[in-house]
Amino acid sequence: MPQVFGYKDLSAIPSGRPTPIRPDFHPTEEFIDDDTAVFLSVNLSKRSEDFTYESSDLLVVVVGNIYLKEDLGSKYPELERPQDSGCAAVVAYLYRHYGRDEVAKLSGDFILIIKEKRAEKLILIRDRMGGRKLFYTVSSGSLIFASQLKTLIAIHGVSRDLDHFALESFLKFGYIIAPTTIFKSIRELEPGQLIECGKGNYNVVQYWRLRPSDEIELAGDDLRKALYKNIEQAIAARFNPRERIGIYLSGGVDSNTLLAVLSRMCDPSKIHTVSIGYGEQYKDYHELSQARLGAAYFGSSHHELINGPEHIDAHLCRMVWQFEQPFGNPALISWVSLSDLAKDLVDVVFVGAGADEVLGGYKRYNALMFLRRYYGIPCSSLLTKAFQAPLSRLSVGANHYSVINRLQKFSQSIHPDILKTNEAFLFGDYDELRTNLFLPNFRKASRGAEPSLVPYYFSAGTSDPLRQIFIADCYSNLVSEQLSRALIPLAEWDVDYRAPFSDPDFLEFCLNIPNRCKAGFLRTKILYKEAVKNILPSQIMTQKKRGMSHPVAFWFQGALHEKLLSVLSSKNPALVDYFDVNHLRRLAQEHHSRKRNWGELLWKMVVFSMWHKIFVENKSTGMPDFRLSDIVATQK
């Protein structure tokens, strides 16, 4: 996968000094002048013109993919067969003739670096939905940027001090949302943003945001056909018959729709579908049987993995090294395993990320739509209190799919304000947890600031709370977790990913579909399922949705319990400066005795401890090989 590193001297009089890069960054191409340097590392087997263009007045570097859709040639007739021109040359042409804003509208997952040589102007652009990452910092009078955090923290003078707000974001959301990063001195460019650098300054500009417009006026069959056409177009734009194609296949509608449509574009037997499970005991956490059904129905070449508790120890260090920032979803371990299998089979992997957020795929949306009507009942407050008290006294296990767990979470979360209910569904009783979890000094240093999705609600450009939630989910869960978990593990093996349902034009279309066509009281993806029902087997359409979850909560009660306790130690430097370790150990015992399910929080503590070991204590420029037992055992 292409990686980039560079700098722009912000001094009024450029010094032309080089900036050191980390030892394991081996550039295949370098572009250096008096005030700017760009170092690019790409797979030499791929066409260099796809990534770079240089003339006497302009330099263009493309990191990622630009999908040159069929209508590009008709929109710009002077561009003959843009698909044959190379991505960087197309960007150069559009920039020269139409300017920065037209370039930024291109479809793809990319970082663009454009240098106007005569004007000494540098522009860094992140694609509209953030399919690629770009980090930046200012050090020694230069704006330094890179596609990996590891590159920046290896530079002398760049601080590794932790950002307390980012740590809270990780614990609350399970990920860190741009522009914040785990390091206080480093920022991440947000989706739809660009940086313009001139002499002595730089500006961050928001050039695009995902926002709804007027509701689509089509209805019935016309609306279903329009949605299916948009699905086909998004997939077709990312299909290249020269590439070996893979799909991460669950038993759900999204990945099977990808398989169905791609099967019509090429020989299905040449499509490699890859699935993962955890054994029959944990069948609630995977969809292997349904994935086999889809693979057999379409005739793909199907591959499976079975993971157990031993894979946590085997893959955790590498996962944390790859992701560079703490991540809270234990299923990311599975994505690392899937990438290991896919690397020898395919050039690109298609993933279904994006459809749930804008087509009504989450059960949470059912509840929110129901509650909008429920709170219109005059006695709704009394009814709520009547069932909350007895539910709170019931004991729960580690299975978050159990009826008791679901009812408890529902009763504790509901609120007349739908936006507050959404936050409660997602983050539970985080306020109470944060009071008991963090040490007083940490709470004082964080100044009481707490991460929230509220800014995304208010910047959504609509007063409809459900649409506000859809957009907030796109900028949080979709960008910060789903696209990252597809991109990052595959990047290690130079395998690319494709996420058609995350196409900005597709997302905009779906946002304008009426809410009633997306989710109802007991139905999800209403219109979507109608649009694809004729191309999918009926069992896929009716089966219970599970997605790619993970049974680590069970493993913390059994096979991994002792290792968990060894991490939750007063000798663990990752924990003692921030958290009440005794409180954490009490929660671990509650979890072990099944009084309450703390699996998600405990997993975050393990991940943060490993992250701290690698990036704060170790400071190595190469990937270490730590196990859970190494987190505390080697400390003096």
Side-chain angles (χ1 to χ4, degrees):
M1 198 71 66
Q3 299 292 344
V4 71
F5 161 77
Y7 70 87
K8 172 75 167 70
D9 192 334
L10 299 176
S11 306
I13 303 175
S15 63
R17 61 185 178 276
T19 300
I21 60 179
R22 82 174 196 261
D24 60 336
F25 188 95
H26 304 293
T28 53
E29 299 195 50
E30 299 181 359
F31 306 92
I32 303 175
D33 59 20
D34 289 342
D35 69 339
T36 305
V38 178
F39 304 93
L40 182 66
S41 176
V42 300
N43 185 339
L44 294 176
S45 67
K46 298 184 179 181
R47 300 191 313 168
S48 62
E49 62 265 28
D50 286 343
F51 302 109
T52 62
Y53 169 91
E54 187 173 20
S55 65
S56 59
D57 65 326
L58 197 65
L59 167 67
V60 175
V61 176
V62 179
V63 181
N65 302 288
I66 294 176
Y67 305 118
L68 302 176
K69 297 182 178 180
E70 293 178 1
D71 62 353
L72 199 62
S74 59
K75 187 175 181 180
Y76 309 106
E78 61 274 35
L79 259 178
E80 295 184 7
R81 293 189 60 80
Q83 288 85 347
D84 297 335
S85 302
C87 293
V90 171
V91 171
Y93 175 85
L94 293 179
Y95 184 78
R96 278 200 181 100
H97 292 84
Y98 298 95
R100 178 199 76 186
D101 292 342
E102 198 68 16
V103 169
K105 293 177 185 176
L106 285 167
S107 179
D109 45 273
F110 55 75
I111 296 296
L112 299 182
I113 302 166
I114 302 173
K115 172 68 188 294
E116 288 188 36
K117 296 181 179 180
R118 292 167 188 160
E120 297 184 6
K121 181 180 180 181
L122 181 70
I123 301 176
L124 310 172
I125 303 175
R126 187 179 184 186
D127 69 87
R128 288 180 284 169
M129 282 310 297
R132 287 292 189 276
K133 293 179 174 291
L134 189 71
F135 303 96
Y136 63 96
T137 188
V138 174
S139 180
S140 303
S142 291
L143 178 80
I144 311 171
F145 56 91
S147 51
Q148 290 190 327
L149 267 176
K150 291 187 281 284
T151 305
L152 295 183
I153 61 175
I155 296 171
H156 178 72
V158 176
S159 170
R160 297 195 186 205
D161 290 347
L162 268 61
D163 187 304
H164 289 182
F165 187 80
L167 181 55
E168 285 224 54
S169 294
F170 158 64
L171 290 171
K172 182 173 183 178
F173 302 144
Y175 41 77
I176 297 168
I177 303 176
T180 307
T181 77
I182 192 64
F183 298 109
K184 193 182 299 183
S185 62
I186 299 174
R187 308 291 277 175
E188 180 181 352
L189 197 62
E190 296 182 56
Q193 282 190 342
L194 59 84
I195 299 177
E196 283 191 329
C197 303
K199 289 184 178 180
N201 64 79
Y202 73 94
N203 293 306
V204 178
V205 178
Q206 189 80 46
Y207 69 83
W208 184 86
R209 287 200 72 85
L210 178 63
R211 286 183 174 174
S213 53
D214 296 332
E215 278 193 358
I216 296 171
E217 295 182 358
L218 298 174
D221 224 26
D222 291 336
L223 184 54
R224 286 192 291 273
K225 289 177 180 178
L227 174 57
Y228 184 75
K229 181 180 178 181
N230 274 268
I231 291 171
E232 273 194 322
Q233 288 175 339
I235 295 172
R238 289 155 177 78
F239 172 71
N240 183 340
R242 296 189 299 270
E243 295 175 327
R244 296 177 300 162
I245 295 172
I247 300 173
Y248 284 162
L249 188 66
S250 69
V253 174
D254 303 338
S255 60
N256 277 278
T257 296
L258 292 174
L259 179 55
V261 176
L262 286 167
S263 295
R264 298 182 175 195
M265 298 178 180
C266 64
D267 181 353
S269 67
K270 295 183 179 179
I271 299 174
H272 295 272
T273 50
V274 184
S275 305
I276 194 166
Y278 311 102
E280 186 63 24
Q281 183 181 356
Y282 304 109
K283 62 183 180 181
D284 282 345
Y285 288 87
H286 62 79
E287 299 175 337
L288 278 185
S289 59
Q290 297 92 334
R292 290 171 194 148
L293 188 154
Y297 183 86
F298 293 105
S300 66
S301 178
H302 192 55
H303 313 267
E304 293 181 354
L305 285 172
I306 301 295
N307 271 7
E310 68 279 2
H311 288 86
I312 298 290
D313 228 5
H315 293 313
L316 180 60
C317 181
R318 185 155 65 93
M319 183 203 84
V320 173
W321 173 258
Q322 289 176 356
F323 281 87
E324 303 181 312
Q325 301 194 81
F327 263 82
N329 187 345
L332 266 62
I333 286 278
S334 303
W335 287 74
V336 172
S337 299
L338 286 171
S339 70
D340 290 348
L341 177 58
K343 72 179 189 298
D344 297 322
L345 301 171
V346 301
D347 302 312
V348 299
V349 174
F350 279 74
V351 297
D356 283 327
E357 284 74 12
V358 291
L359 287 170
Y362 294 125
K363 290 290 186 183
R364 169 168 45 100
Y365 297 158
N366 298 121
L368 293 171
M369 296 188 80
F370 164 74
L371 288 170
R372 291 186 78 177
R373 297 179 181 179
Y374 170 78
Y375 277 109
I377 301 172
C379 58
S380 58
S381 296
L382 292 175
L383 288 172
T384 302
K385 291 177 182 178
F387 68 76
Q388 277 179 332
L391 275 174
S392 65
R393 293 192 289 268
L394 295 176
S395 179
V396 300
N399 183 0
H400 66 267
Y401 289 111
S402 72
V403 174
I404 293 176
N405 258 339
R406 286 179 178 274
L407 287 175
Q408 279 194 342
K409 186 171 184 179
F410 179 81
S411 71
Q412 294 163 3
S413 302
I414 58 177
H415 190 280
D417 185 331
I418 297 301
L419 297 179
K420 289 183 178 179
T421 299
N422 184 61
E423 294 249 327
F425 279 161
L426 289 170
F427 314 122
D429 53 352
Y430 181 75
D431 287 337
E432 177 189 350
L433 178 65
R434 125 189 239 260
T435 300
N436 296 319
L437 185 62
F438 290 113
L439 293 174
N441 287 343
F442 179 89
R443 293 200 299 271
K444 183 178 179 181
S446 65
R447 298 194 229 12
E450 183 183 335
S452 172
L453 295 181
V454 170
Y456 294 99
Y457 301 145
F458 292 149
S459 64
T462 175
S463 58
D464 178 352
L466 287 172
R467 285 188 174 185
Q468 290 175 337
I469 289 167
F470 297 155
I471 291 173
D473 285 349
C474 284
Y475 278 112
S476 55
N477 181 55
L478 175 58
V479 172
S480 300
E481 179 173 300
Q482 292 194 49
L483 296 184
S484 294
R485 73 188 186 187
L487 165 70
I488 295 172
L490 289 168
E492 181 182 5
W493 307 116
D494 202 37
V495 176
D496 219 333
Y497 85 103
R498 304 281 189 268
F501 298 125
S502 299
D503 183 287
D505 300 328
F506 177 78
L507 293 174
E508 282 187 319
F509 173 84
C510 293
L511 275 176
N512 295 323
I513 294 172
N515 292 337
R516 66 180 181 277
C517 298
K518 297 177 181 179
F521 177 44
L522 295 174
R523 299 173 67 193
T524 58
K525 295 181 178 175
I526 298 172
L527 178 68
Y528 178 22
K529 290 179 178 178
E530 286 292 318
V532 299
K533 68 180 181 181
N534 291 331
I535 63 171
L536 298 182
S538 58
Q539 298 96 317
I540 297 295
M541 301 295 297
T542 57
Q543 67 122 5
K544 180 181 177 182
K545 176 184 175 68
R546 290 193 180 94
M548 192 176 290
S549 189
H550 200 283
V552 71
F554 278 104
W555 296 346
F556 280 156
Q557 293 174 339
L560 294 178
H561 179 63
E562 292 302 320
K563 289 185 177 181
L564 170 66
L565 292 180
S566 74
V567 173
L568 303 180
S569 165
S570 59
K571 296 180 180 179
N572 183 349
L575 303 182
V576 294
D577 291 337
Y578 307 104
F579 307 109
D580 184 334
V581 177
N582 290 329
H583 182 67
L584 283 172
R585 291 181 70 87
R586 285 195 295 272
L587 297 185
Q589 292 301 336
E590 276 189 21
H591 182 76
H592 187 247
S593 62
R594 303 196 176 197
K595 290 182 179 178
R596 193 164 177 183
N597 182 0
W598 292 108
E600 183 178 323
L601 173 66
L602 298 172
W603 169 253
K604 290 174 182 176
M605 292 296 110
V606 170
V607 170
F608 179 69
S609 297
M610 182 62 80
W611 178 88
H612 195 276
K613 179 77 174 179
I614 295 171
F615 290 104
V616 178
E617 301 163 49
N618 187 56
K619 298 184 180 179
S620 172
T621 57
M623 185 179 73
D625 185 21
F626 294 135
R627 300 301 173 107
L628 290 176
S629 57
D630 296 322
I631 290 176
V632 175
T634 56
Q635 298 300 315
K636 294 182 180 180

